[in-house]
């Protein structure tokens, strides 16, 4: 029996609110000195079922965030080699995550709160990305997005590189040269986050086309 639930940090508050709605438990938003304090050290936790979610409450994480999150999934797999890892996301992101060897189950469906609530209890560890990396007033978010995500979930990444795993028929053989490839996407869901062609041209001139292959998508 629990008398109340309290969420530590932004992600903790989201989880606490979910528990409050599910079980009708009092949600304490601020701890006071009158509450007992306990410090518990937990070691060697073995998780059997892990959920990584970018679709909670139809938060609709952008495809860039979902691609970046593949580096997190790889680390979660390294940390939990025997766990079943489920990735829940919106339908548009299915192609990014298909064939990823670190994911055991991919759920790419529109968010349904009732179904989600009924199924959440089967997981003993959850990662909810949501919009927690978008508030740039938060110091954590004033760094590269991959570092912000890793800090959010308290993950130390051995490799920050996102990965796509393509089927043979999806692969395209392009004979560029020995230059390094730089891919730019200057579009964004929010108009204020889109980049202008003028800025892109200035940056390309600074980089130099003699050193890099410049690839623009979006």
């Amino acid at each position: 029996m629990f008398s109340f639930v309290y969420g530590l940090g932004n992600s903790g508050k989201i989880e606490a609110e979910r528990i409050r709605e599910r079980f009708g438990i009092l949600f304490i938003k601020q701890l006071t000195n009158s509450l007992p304090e306990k410090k518990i050290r937990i070691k060697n936790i073995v998780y059997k079922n892990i959920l990584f979610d970018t679709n909670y409450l139809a938060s609709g994480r952008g495809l860039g965030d979902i691609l970046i999150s593949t580096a997190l999934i790889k680390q979660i797999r390294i940390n939990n080699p025997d766990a079943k890892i489920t990735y829940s996301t919106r339908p548009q992101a299915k192609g990014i995550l298909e064939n990823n060897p670190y994911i055991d189950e991919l759920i790419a469906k529109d968010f349904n709160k009732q179904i989600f609530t009924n199924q959440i209890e089967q997981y003993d560890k959850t990662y909810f990305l949501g919009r927690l990396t978008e508030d740039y007033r938060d110091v954590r978010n004033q760094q590269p997005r991959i570092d912000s995500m890793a800090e959010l979930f308290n993950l130390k990444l051995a490799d920050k590189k996102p990965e796509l795993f393509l089927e043979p028929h999806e692969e395209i053989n392009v004979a560029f040269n020995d230059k390094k490839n730089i891919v730019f996407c200057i579009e964004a869901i929010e108009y204020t986050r889109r980049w202008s062609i003028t800025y892109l041209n200035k940056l390309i001139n600074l980089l130099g086309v003699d050193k890099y292959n410049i690839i623009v998508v979006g």
Side-chain angles (χ1 to χ4, degrees), residues 54 61-67 70 87-98 106-109 164:
T54 62
R61 294 300 73 228
L63 299 183
D65 279 358
I66 293 169
L67 176 59
T70 58
Y87 196 118
S88 174
T89 190
R90 58 196 180 104
Q92 295 87 342
K94 183 178 180 181
I96 295 176
L97 301 166
E98 279 185 317
L106 175 61
I107 302 174
K109 298 180 180 180
L164 286 173

Side-chain angles (χ1 to χ4, degrees), residues 19-34:
I19 295 296
R20 183 197 66 78
E21 291 184 2
R22 175 69 176 83
F23 298 103
I25 300 174
L26 178 64
F27 176 17
I28 299 293
K29 295 185 177 180
Q30 184 174 0
L31 294 177
T32 64
N33 292 332
S34 60

Side-chain angles (χ1 to χ4, degrees), residues 167-205:
E167 295 281 4
H169 70 275
E170 296 176 312
E171 297 180 4
I172 301 174
N173 294 321
V174 180
F176 271 125
N177 40 50
D178 293 332
K179 300 178 185 178
K180 290 186 176 181
N181 301 324
I182 299 182
V183 180
F184 291 98
C185 179
I186 62 175
E187 305 233 344
I189 294 176
E190 297 178 14
Y191 176 78
T192 55
R193 293 172 59 189
R194 297 177 186 174
W195 233 36
S196 71
I197 294 294
T198 301
Y199 287 159
L200 178 63
N201 286 333
K202 287 182 179 180
L203 181 56
I204 290 175
N205 289 332

